[in-house]
Amino acid sequence: MAELNASPVTAHPLHTTGGGLRGKLNKVVLAYSGGLDTSIIVPWLRENYGCEVVCFTADVGQGIKELEGLEEKAKASGACQLVVKDLKEEFVKDYVFPCLRAGAVYERKYLLGTSMARPVIAKAMVDVAKEVGADAVSHGCTGKGNDQVRFELSFFALNPKLNVVAPWREWDITGREEAIEYAKKHNIPVPVTKKSIYSRDRNLWHLSHEGDILEDPANEPRKDMYMMSVDPEDAPDQADYVEIGIESGLPVSVNGKRLSPASLLAELNEIGGKHGIGRIDMVENRLVGMKSRGVYETPGGTILFAAARELEFLTLDRETIQVKDSLALKYAELVYAGRWFDPLRESMDAFMQKITETTTGSVTVKLYKGSVTVTSRTSPFSLYRQDISSFENSQIYDQADAAGFIRLYGLPMRVRAMLEQGI
């Protein structure tokens, strides 16, 4: 019973000597963005838990502007230090590409951009907590969204001894104005950046938009909302052809040039964005029970999904494709629900890795005004045989054999009809 005070489900440790208003923690690693919410979480943690706060920022490709001036902001808020880690390659290689290989799509549309980023950030936070000797981690997720689940399930799986503090589920602050007042009261510099009317999440895979007029599913998104892609109507009148090289289900090259995972995705984002590729507008079912409307931009990812899926049509047989597609639905649900480190997802990933061993080759796609059209596909492991599929005579396939096959294959239907007709 010696571990009770370190239970991950309590944000109120039993030991309170010398602590804050809600208890005592020694050191907390906070997922930090530098925005208003996480800026006021720093003094709130110190005030309520009497702890040191280590701010942690993960670079998952959200853009250099979001990383500028973070150390000064963190220290001005009262943090003892800021740790920044470049996770772009790890994010794409170990999280994005496995989902791509699995064909994981949530509710027919969503390519899991935010869902895949949370576990890589959470894993890094757990590592930092160990490095700095922290006994708790904290995040700025609201109590109505999916991300609180994704972060905390990852924390539980990787270090169940860590305390988890979620201020949005504890404090009395209810909106932006109250947050600004709290910041002023505690002499915290209020970020002067213009407040976006949208709630956005960006990484190397995608950019999501929620809130404002999007909260009414009947409203069309404004043209100026999009940031990663041009309007397809304004895209070039000349199509681009792009060749994607794939080895064992994973992309390795663009137009014959081998690139690292993050570099490959960044290049396809630029090419795809120029042609208005990868815009998705959907109403999805959140894990916490409500429906939400979001708009996603995933230019490079949309190209990669089209290429990977097309190559599988050459290298996988019918039964394998059907089983893989059925498992991909569950795989996507697990990732969406924050269960990245669940043994079930890991086991399914081992299946996906094995089944795509021969999914090697190249796919050429045509990009034109928002559309991705496959124009060519080749593989040294192709199951397609022109000498068999051709309408010309073949020594392997005798068309006369089809008669017996049809009689046997259709026998259950024939027997049922005979019963119904009294034959």
Side-chain angles (χ1 to χ4, degrees), residues 235-249:
D237 294 328
Q238 184 69 36
D240 261 348
Y241 289 83
V242 181
E243 181 186 7
I244 310 297
I246 296 174
E247 293 179 0
S248 297

Side-chain angles (χ1 to χ4, degrees), residues 131-340:
E131 292 167 9
V132 302
D135 56 339
V137 286
S138 180
H139 60 76
C141 306
T142 74
K144 296 180 72 174
N146 298 312
D147 282 343
Q148 57 181 338
V149 183
R150 294 165 181 158
F151 272 114
E152 294 181 34
L153 262 58
S154 297
F155 296 149
F156 296 166
L158 297 173
N159 187 350
K161 294 182 179 180
L162 283 172
N163 291 280
V164 180
V165 185
W168 274 104
R169 300 201 301 256
E170 296 188 30
W171 64 21
D172 298 323
I173 298 171
T174 59
R176 182 173 174 82
E177 293 306 316
E178 290 184 15
I180 291 174
E181 284 302 313
Y182 185 92
K184 290 179 178 178
K185 180 181 176 182
H186 291 79
N187 298 315
I188 305 301
V190 177
V192 294
T193 54
K194 182 180 178 181
K195 173 65 176 176
S196 170
I197 59 174
Y198 302 104
S199 172
R200 288 187 167 109
D201 176 71
R202 184 167 188 165
N203 57 50
L204 201 53
W205 182 250
H206 89 158
L207 171 61
S208 66
H209 313 264
E210 293 181 337
D212 196 58
I213 67 166
L214 298 180
E215 292 185 349
D216 183 349
N219 289 333
E220 179 181 5
R222 294 192 181 114
K223 188 171 182 176
D224 62 0
M225 180 191 73
Y226 296 93
M227 300 174 68
M228 288 184 74
S229 59
V230 304
D231 191 312
E233 295 176 359
D234 301 326
D237 294 328
Q238 184 69 36
D240 261 348
Y241 289 83
V242 181
E243 181 186 7
I244 310 297
I246 296 174
E247 293 179 0
S248 297
L250 302 178
V252 295
S253 66
V254 175
N255 293 328
K257 180 171 63 175
R258 292 187 73 92
L259 296 166
S260 72
S263 298
L264 184 148
L265 180 55
E267 180 150 334
L268 287 178
N269 278 337
E270 184 175 344
I271 298 171
K274 183 178 71 173
H275 289 277
I277 304 299
R279 293 183 170 191
I280 293 295
D281 182 344
M282 69 180 291
V283 174
E284 69 193 64
N285 290 292
R286 283 185 179 172
L287 181 63
V288 292
M290 71 185 75
K291 286 185 181 289
S292 67
R293 194 266 189 100
V295 177
Y296 302 98
E297 297 178 77
T298 319
T302 300
I303 296 170
L304 289 174
F305 256 87
R309 177 178 288 261
E310 192 65 31
L311 192 58
E312 289 179 352
F313 288 134
L314 283 185
T315 62
L316 303 181
D317 60 63
R318 178 178 59 195
E319 295 288 337
T320 301
I321 288 176
Q322 291 174 354
V323 171
K324 183 175 182 292
D325 284 352
S326 66
L327 289 177
L329 294 173
K330 185 62 179 178
Y331 192 107
E333 289 179 8
L334 291 172
V335 176
Y336 187 85
R339 295 171 61 185
W340 183 270

Side-chain angles (χ1 to χ4, degrees), residues 29-32 56-60 83 85 87 90-91 95 114-131 134 136-141 146-160 162-164 335 337-341:
V29 175
L30 168 67
Y32 181 75
F56 171 74
T57 300
D59 181 0
V60 287
V83 178
K85 288 196 175 185
L87 303 179
E90 180 183 356
F91 171 50
Y95 296 80
T114 301
S115 312
M116 296 183 294
R118 297 308 181 233
V120 70
I121 296 171
K123 178 178 179 294
M125 288 179 67
V126 171
D127 292 340
V128 170
K130 182 178 180 180
E131 292 167 9
V137 286
S138 180
H139 60 76
C141 306
N146 298 312
D147 282 343
Q148 57 181 338
V149 183
R150 294 165 181 158
F151 272 114
E152 294 181 34
L153 262 58
S154 297
F155 296 149
F156 296 166
L158 297 173
N159 187 350
L162 283 172
N163 291 280
V164 180
V335 176
R339 295 171 61 185
W340 183 270
F341 298 105

Side-chain angles (χ1 to χ4, degrees), residues 323-369:
V323 171
K324 183 175 182 292
D325 284 352
S326 66
L327 289 177
L329 294 173
K330 185 62 179 178
Y331 192 107
E333 289 179 8
L334 291 172
V335 176
Y336 187 85
R339 295 171 61 185
W340 183 270
F341 298 105
D342 191 308
L344 176 57
R345 189 212 61 85
E346 293 170 345
S347 299
M348 293 173 70
D349 199 54
F351 168 83
M352 297 299 180
Q353 183 175 359
K354 177 65 179 178
I355 214 68
T356 56
E357 281 181 341
T358 59
T359 302
T360 295
S362 68
V363 176
T364 300
V365 295
K366 177 182 178 182
L367 310 179
Y368 182 70
K369 292 189 179 296

Side-chain angles (χ1 to χ4, degrees), residues 55-69:
C55 290
F56 171 74
T57 300
D59 181 0
V60 287
Q62 62 267 47
I64 190 66
K65 287 185 178 180
E66 293 195 26
L67 300 174
E68 291 177 348

Side-chain angles (χ1 to χ4, degrees), residues 346-411:
E346 293 170 345
S347 299
M348 293 173 70
D349 199 54
F351 168 83
M352 297 299 180
Q353 183 175 359
K354 177 65 179 178
I355 214 68
T356 56
E357 281 181 341
T358 59
T359 302
T360 295
S362 68
V363 176
T364 300
V365 295
K366 177 182 178 182
L367 310 179
Y368 182 70
K369 292 189 179 296
S371 68
V372 181
T373 306
V374 174
T375 61
S376 171
R377 73 288 279 161
T378 63
S379 171
F381 302 104
S382 175
L383 299 177
Y384 177 88
R385 289 282 298 266
Q386 187 174 349
D387 57 341
I388 297 177
S389 302
S390 173
F391 284 105
E392 302 298 325
N393 289 332
S394 170
Q395 293 182 341
I396 299 177
Y397 188 99
D398 187 344
Q399 296 188 44
D401 293 340
F405 165 75
I406 294 171
R407 281 196 296 271
L408 294 177
Y409 184 69
L411 184 60

